[in-house]
Amino acid sequence: MSENVVHLHKNPEPAVEEATVTTLTVVPDPAPPAPVPLWVRSGRALKTAVTHETTRTTARAVARHALYVYGGTRIVARRTWEARTPARYERMMRAAEAAGNLEEAREWEERGQHFRDARHRRRMDLLHSPLDAAKGAAVSAGTGIGVLVALGICMAIATKDVTEVVTPLMAVIRFINLMITIVQVVWGPALTIGPFLALLALWTVGAHQKAAPAWSMPEQMRSGEGEPITPSIVVKALRDLGVPALRNAIKEMGDAGASMLGPIRIAGCGVEVDVTLPSGVSTNEVQQRRRKLAENLTRHEHEVFITIPQAARTVRLWVADSGALDEPIGPSPLVTDETLTGDYAKGKAPWGQDLRGDAALLSVFQRHLLVTGLSNQGKTAALRALALWLALDRSVQFWLADLKGAGDWRYFEGIASVLIQGPTDDHVIQATEMAENAVTEMNRRLEVRQKDPSAKFPPLIVLVDEAQVAFMCPAKDEDGLPYGGSKATSRYFMAVRKIHNQGRAVDVLMWQGTQDPTDQNLPKLVREGAHTRASLALGTEQQSRMALGDKAVNGGAAPHLLRQGLDKGTLVVASDGIAIPAGQASITVRTHFIDDDAAQNIADRAKALRAGITTLHAVASEQEERDPLADIAAVLGTDTRAGTQEILKRLSVLDARAYGKWSFLDLKRVLAGTGAEPYKSDGRMVVAADRVARALADRDADGSASTAG
């Protein structure tokens, strides 16, 4: 029982001086909180129950199995309808007409007419069947009774008992009575169990065909991860692509779109199918919806490739097995087969694998090369893999400039005649002069070819990695001409253009690797001068068009859709030097990665195939005045001696302007009277390095003495 609290308040201004007036105020206890209504608590409990995962899973299971019965009923009804009517033939006929195959449409029309004729004959037979059945039953009954009576007579004669005449007939009657009794016993339970058996049969059909909405399926089936590609899945993915003309055409097709699909073929780590689009639907409408198509096929975007084959109004879909493209490919044959050699003219470099799992082999014969992509995507590794294979052909010469200078090309020490490594303007100047010397060598070869059309030359690969550094270099020479840029006065740009124009005719080839292409760091005339264009992951479609050209991108090439960091080493290649499926303009290649140790081993094998090569780390500038004797000593390097033809080649590499046109007579003239004259050894003319060094020392000593005097 609650108690009231009494508060005493004094009046601050009493009316009578002698008396004090007090006021009593009764304050009741605060009322207890009102109870929560039952319906509110029930609503909260219901909401918790509905959102609970177990409840939702149970509800989906109940709905799924109920819908299996409904779906099974529809399937059985459709099968029954098609079996009783010519609907199947009409559907196939409409599909053939939609595909433009009129001959096949006529064939299905004839089959439908044969079906109608046979059905008409069956119905006409039904008109006469009751009378025929009655006649047949009467004849059969009479015959049967006669046989039974005859059997009874035989039994009566054998037993000498006349009552045996009716024994067979009575046995048949008792058997019929037993059957009637069995039917009477089973009929009631059969009427009770029959509907349940029918429902079970319908549920079985629906469950086998997965005839329930996706939301009612278990989690693993709703995700569809790794779901195999079937014709129905492809057609449904195309129907839900968001192209109204395509969706309406599929609905109007009698076969629900199956006639659009070619055979689904296993292609490497995925499948491939050609889709003939209906009239009114263009191929680029499908290409532009690659992500949505991939999601409709329960794949990631990078696992679906859309290309345009040779057939008109057709797209070719390649769908990878789920997760297959995230698995690495095997090692390069250069690593696994130590007997493998390169062949510039007739061989093909084992660059990697295409999406079908076949070896991607690239011919480099008389083809300029451009490899581009974003930074740190495997550009140098892809370019180096080709160069290592070609280094195994002892006839190929390399002039190489690495404008990153991180040591990625250090293995070519002793292979390349020129090796420039570094990112500074001085290194760009050296690379530019190297390219200009290649132009001089090209012109020399062209002059020889004019005099002797059958003349052959050793292949010369002028390779510049990180070429964007050269194009963006702000340095200028003494005449104010820029080394970088893309104008007619830009020295590196013009040297590359000249090699692109005429170099392949005399096997002087330009290989370039560049990153993040723009019009500034990769001019249009340079990128379009390459015969083989390959691109790793890029940022935008515009960059893809710069890297590969409009034709390749319009044909489905999409390096901008490769995943940066995840698709390292994956190239989209446009070239006539690699096998590309008919009708396509490009091919996707997953290149082999050759690590540092393997690259060193391959480089050692290449050096073993070659005579000792002195690698120059700088090239002469045009203004530099040459000292022939000192240059001969320099190109001899650590060799004790070298052939005169080899020395002439090395001098040409050192300075093509000064020595490009030298012959044996010029070399002999310079060495005459020095004590280092060429002499014959093992049937060939050679020059001894120690004699050249001694002649150079004697000359310097004489010069010093004369200066002192």
Side-chain angles (χ1 to χ4, degrees):
M1 182 175 180
S2 62
E3 298 180 355
N4 294 329
V5 180
V6 178
H7 298 274
L8 298 179
H9 301 278
K10 291 185 178 181
N11 192 339
E13 299 179 356
V16 183
E17 186 178 349
E18 295 81 1
T20 302
V21 179
T22 61
T23 304
L24 298 177
T25 304
V26 180
V27 181
D29 288 343
V36 179
L38 179 61
W39 64 271
V40 175
R41 287 179 289 171
S42 301
R44 291 174 181 169
L46 180 60
K47 181 179 179 181
T48 303
V50 170
T51 57
H52 195 275
E53 185 60 31
T54 303
T55 304
R56 297 171 65 183
T57 302
T58 304
R60 281 198 299 265
V62 172
R64 179 170 66 254
H65 292 289
L67 291 169
Y68 279 162
V69 177
Y70 173 72
T73 303
R74 292 184 58 188
I75 293 172
V76 171
R78 185 172 63 251
R79 290 175 180 175
T80 304
W81 175 258
E82 291 183 350
R84 300 284 183 179
T85 66
R88 176 186 293 110
Y89 303 98
E90 293 176 359
R91 185 177 71 249
M92 299 304 295
M93 183 174 63
R94 288 195 300 270
E97 289 176 347
N101 194 339
L102 299 181
E103 182 178 353
E104 185 177 353
R106 284 193 294 270
E107 181 181 350
W108 283 111
E109 184 180 12
E110 292 177 2
R111 292 185 181 183
Q113 187 60 43
H114 291 328
F115 175 85
R116 293 185 183 93
D117 294 342
R119 184 181 60 180
H120 177 71
R121 287 194 298 271
R122 288 194 300 270
R123 288 176 177 175
M124 294 303 295
D125 291 341
L126 289 176
L127 297 176
H128 306 284
S129 59
L131 182 59
D132 295 338
K135 291 180 179 179
V139 172
S140 299
T143 303
I145 293 174
V147 171
L148 293 174
V149 171
L151 180 60
I153 292 173
C154 293
M155 293 175 61
I157 294 173
T159 59
K160 298 180 180 180
D161 184 359
V162 70
T163 59
E164 293 292 336
V165 174
V166 295
T167 297
L169 188 60
M170 295 304 297
V172 173
I173 293 173
R174 284 194 295 271
F175 176 76
I176 294 174
N177 184 53
L178 177 61
M179 292 295 101
I180 294 173
T181 303
I182 292 174
V183 170
Q184 289 176 342
V185 172
V186 175
W187 185 253
L191 289 178
T192 304
I193 299 174
F196 293 101
L197 295 177
L199 288 175
L200 179 61
L202 295 174
W203 177 90
T204 302
V205 174
H208 180 71
Q209 297 292 332
K210 300 293 186 294
W215 59 263
S216 65
M217 295 296 181
E219 181 65 28
Q220 61 271 24
M221 295 182 65
R222 290 203 310 275
S223 66
E225 191 71 23
E227 186 176 5
I229 300 300
T230 62
S232 60
I233 289 177
V234 176
V235 171
K236 186 176 182 299
L238 294 169
R239 185 194 66 194
D240 299 338
L241 201 54
V243 182
L246 180 59
R247 181 179 61 250
N248 295 334
I250 292 175
K251 288 182 179 179
E252 292 173 0
M253 291 181 183
D255 61 349
S259 60
M260 296 193 308
L261 307 184
I264 296 180
R265 304 175 295 273
I266 296 177
C269 57
V271 296
E272 186 179 72
V273 58
D274 286 352
V275 181
T276 302
L277 300 176
S279 178
V281 182
S282 63
T283 55
N284 66 337
E285 289 182 287
V286 178
Q287 282 184 298
Q288 293 170 358
R289 293 168 172 81
R290 178 187 176 192
R291 174 174 295 180
K292 189 170 185 179
L293 178 61
E295 293 172 350
N296 290 349
L297 293 169
T298 66
R299 294 294 191 272
H300 297 290
E301 184 179 11
H302 71 277
E303 295 176 329
V304 174
F305 288 82
I306 306 172
T307 54
I308 309 300
Q310 195 169 8
R313 215 174 64 226
T314 302
V315 294
R316 177 168 294 162
L317 306 181
W318 185 85
V319 185
D321 298 335
S322 184
L325 293 184
D326 297 327
E327 298 293 330
I329 63 173
S332 170
L334 293 174
V335 177
T336 58
D337 184 3
E338 294 189 355
T339 64
L340 187 65
T341 58
D343 187 343
Y344 165 78
K346 299 179 181 179
K348 292 188 176 183
W351 210 6
Q353 294 180 0
D354 62 16
L355 296 179
R356 296 165 182 80
D358 299 329
L361 306 176
L362 179 69
S363 171
V364 299
F365 176 66
Q366 293 187 342
R367 291 178 177 89
H368 302 301
L369 174 67
L370 173 65
V371 179
T372 187
L374 297 178
S375 177
N376 195 31
Q377 297 303 302
K379 167 181 54 60
T380 297
L383 195 58
R384 191 177 66 185
L386 289 178
L388 285 171
W389 172 79
L390 196 55
L392 296 174
D393 182 346
R394 59 183 301 172
S395 67
V396 179
Q397 302 175 5
F398 288 93
W399 295 3
L400 199 153
D402 174 16
L403 298 182
K404 180 165 59 177
D408 294 330
W409 295 91
R410 62 186 182 276
Y411 315 107
F412 278 75
E413 181 78 33
I415 297 176
S417 301
V418 177
L419 179 58
I420 300 167
Q421 300 182 88
T424 66
D425 289 350
D426 289 338
H427 294 100
V428 172
I429 293 172
Q430 290 289 325
T432 302
E433 293 172 347
M434 178 187 76
E436 290 173 342
N437 286 348
V439 174
T440 302
E441 171 64 13
M442 176 189 73
N443 291 333
R444 183 189 69 82
R445 294 184 179 190
L446 289 172
E447 290 179 5
V448 173
R449 180 65 60 81
Q450 289 176 355
K451 298 176 182 177
D452 182 7
S454 62
K456 302 293 183 182
F457 306 101
L460 173 59
I461 306 299
V462 184
L463 193 155
V464 179
D465 195 11
E466 305 297 341
Q468 78 279 355
V469 177
F471 286 112
M472 300 300 290
C473 178
K476 295 183 179 181
D477 63 13
E478 295 177 355
D479 297 328
L481 299 178
Y483 287 95
S486 57
K487 297 181 179 179
T489 56
S490 301
R491 292 179 58 178
Y492 179 78
F493 169 75
M494 291 304 299
V496 173
R497 286 292 301 135
K498 290 175 182 178
I499 295 174
H500 278 175
N501 289 339
Q502 295 178 300
R504 64 178 298 273
V506 288
D507 295 306
V508 177
L509 303 179
M510 193 76 202
W511 287 14
Q512 294 184 99
T514 182
Q515 63 175 268
D516 200 10
T518 64
D519 284 329
Q520 289 71 38
N521 65 23
L522 187 60
K524 180 179 181 181
L525 292 177
V526 170
R527 59 182 186 251
E528 291 185 351
H531 303 98
T532 296
R533 301 166 72 173
S535 176
L536 296 117
L538 289 172
T540 65
E541 181 179 336
Q542 183 181 5
Q543 287 184 316
S544 297
R545 293 183 181 275
M546 290 182 184
L548 300 177
D550 291 336
K551 179 181 179 182
V553 174
N554 292 338
H560 56 284
L561 296 181
L562 295 174
R563 300 168 298 167
Q564 184 177 1
L566 297 177
D567 290 327
K568 283 187 176 182
T570 299
L571 285 164
V572 182
V573 183
S575 172
D576 62 349
I578 192 170
I580 297 178
Q584 294 182 201
S586 64
I587 188 171
T588 301
V589 176
R590 303 172 70 196
T591 58
H592 295 295
F593 175 72
I594 301 176
D595 60 27
D596 292 344
D597 293 338
Q600 185 62 63
N601 292 334
I602 298 170
D604 291 341
R605 286 158 46 197
K607 294 174 187 177
L609 293 174
R610 298 163 178 261
I613 292 180
T614 301
T615 298
L616 304 178
H617 297 276
V619 292
S621 63
E622 185 176 4
Q623 293 80 10
E624 184 177 353
E625 188 174 345
R626 307 308 312 176
D627 181 350
L629 189 59
D631 287 342
I632 293 171
V635 298
L636 280 169
T638 59
D639 294 343
T640 57
R641 64 183 181 181
T644 54
Q645 293 301 318
E646 179 64 26
I647 292 175
L648 289 173
K649 290 179 182 178
R650 296 180 187 181
L651 288 172
S652 178
V653 171
L654 179 64
D655 190 345
R657 294 182 180 86
Y659 303 117
K661 297 182 179 180
W662 267 34
S663 65
F664 172 73
L665 295 178
D666 296 306
L667 180 62
K668 183 178 180 181
R669 173 180 52 80
V670 169
L671 295 176
T674 63
E677 294 85 354
Y679 63 95
K680 183 171 289 188
S681 176
D682 296 330
R684 65 190 186 108
M685 298 300 292
V686 298
V687 175
D690 57 343
R691 296 182 184 181
V692 174
R694 186 164 52 250
L696 189 60
D698 292 341
R699 188 193 68 177
D700 293 341
D702 293 341
S704 300
S706 62
T707 302

